[in-house]
Amino acid sequence: MTKAILEVINLKQYYPLRGGLFSKTKYVYAVDDVSFSVKAGETLGLVGESGCGKSSLGRSLLKLLEPTSGQIIYNGQDITHFTPKQMVSLRKEMQIIFQDPMESLNSRHTVGSILEEPFEIHKIGTKKERQQKVRNLLIKVGLSASAAERYPHEFSGGQRQRIGIARAIALNPKLIICDEAVSALDVSVQSQIINLLIELQKTMNLALIFIAHDLSVVRHISDNIAVMYLGKVVEMSDTQSLFANPQHPYTRALIAAIPLPDPRLRGKRKLLKGDVPSPMSPPDGCHFASRCYLSTLKCTVSYPDLKMSSANHSVACHLAMEEAST
């Protein structure tokens, strides 16, 4: 059995909001008790509406944010309390691709100098060798080697994201977090970037955590999917099972929101209504109860634990667990 390259145990990421001198500190519960694992060569999709904690989770995993509590175990090593100095060597193995490549690429530097920087930081190769590595990287992500002489603003959004991917794979990482990596791109370009990521994953045996709000996009790249709502995972399963038998009402609503080509089917879908509750004061009981058409009194007073409802399928829903037990 393949060992997990990343294991996350009861991870929490709370942001303190301090008021006046005598006021009590409040918290934004961005990530609240999340657990999962990812194996080498596998893709875990993280989906949910904006503000559900996906990006905070991704940044916490890389220690770009210091977790409030929980454990992050990478390759068998607990890195939860690693200092920035201890994390330097691990940066070669754990990388991130951001949503907006224009914001994450230094507009004053050429693409060549941007891609050469990781090699310089880790003191890899001579100047000539680094420049050759940069040219190879650009070709690997589908760009011309001559792109090294140009600046980020001279490229399209899709091309800039390819540069971001080239930077992420420069040091041959084992884990890459894709933080809404295609959401800012045109649909046709999205498919190209997803195909590139799939190809790189196969050739480099990468573990990917693919963060997105669009289930239809996540479906094409993910082996497993975790659905997040207000900081918590409410359903987790392999991709095929999740779409064949979504068990949480929130997951069903997300799938129903996927555009359908047949207009006759659109009126039969149960779409989400209402707004996501504030992460500063999540409601008692199930956080989704106020928007759920199946909500009962039990849902409003008791939060359901994430439990196995069937083989390789977990759900945090009182009703789903009752159905699974009958």
Side-chain angles (χ1 to χ4, degrees), residues 11-16 28-31 53-72 79-84 87 91 94 96 98 177 179 211:
L11 192 69
K12 297 181 180 181
Q13 181 64 64
Y14 299 167
Y15 300 126
V28 174
Y29 300 93
V31 180
K54 306 184 301 295
S55 294
S56 291
L57 175 57
R59 284 165 167 76
S60 297
L61 297 178
L62 295 182
K63 299 275 291 172
L64 299 178
L65 298 172
E66 194 64 33
T68 303
S69 66
Q71 285 181 285
I72 304 168
I79 67 170
T80 313
H81 302 293
F82 270 28
T83 64
M87 285 298 299
R91 296 294 179 210
M94 305 170 71
I96 186 169
F98 294 100
I177 294 176
D179 187 9
I211 299 171

Side-chain angles (χ1 to χ4, degrees), residues 139 228 243 302:
I139 293 171
M228 289 188 68
F243 278 87
S302 171

Side-chain angles (χ1 to χ4, degrees), residues 91-119:
R91 296 294 179 210
K92 291 188 289 186
E93 300 184 23
M94 305 170 71
Q95 289 291 322
I96 186 169
I97 302 168
F98 294 100
Q99 176 179 356
D100 188 347
M102 196 61 198
E103 291 295 322
S104 62
L105 301 175
N106 192 324
S107 60
R108 295 185 178 185
H109 291 181
T110 63
V111 168
S113 64
I114 290 171
L115 296 183
E116 194 176 337
E117 187 177 18
F119 302 110

Side-chain angles (χ1 to χ4, degrees), residues 16 18 29 49 52 65 99 130 136 168 180 261 281:
R18 294 179 176 86
Y29 300 93
E49 294 171 283
C52 72
L65 298 172
Q99 176 179 356
R130 292 196 294 263
N136 292 341
E180 299 275 10
S281 55

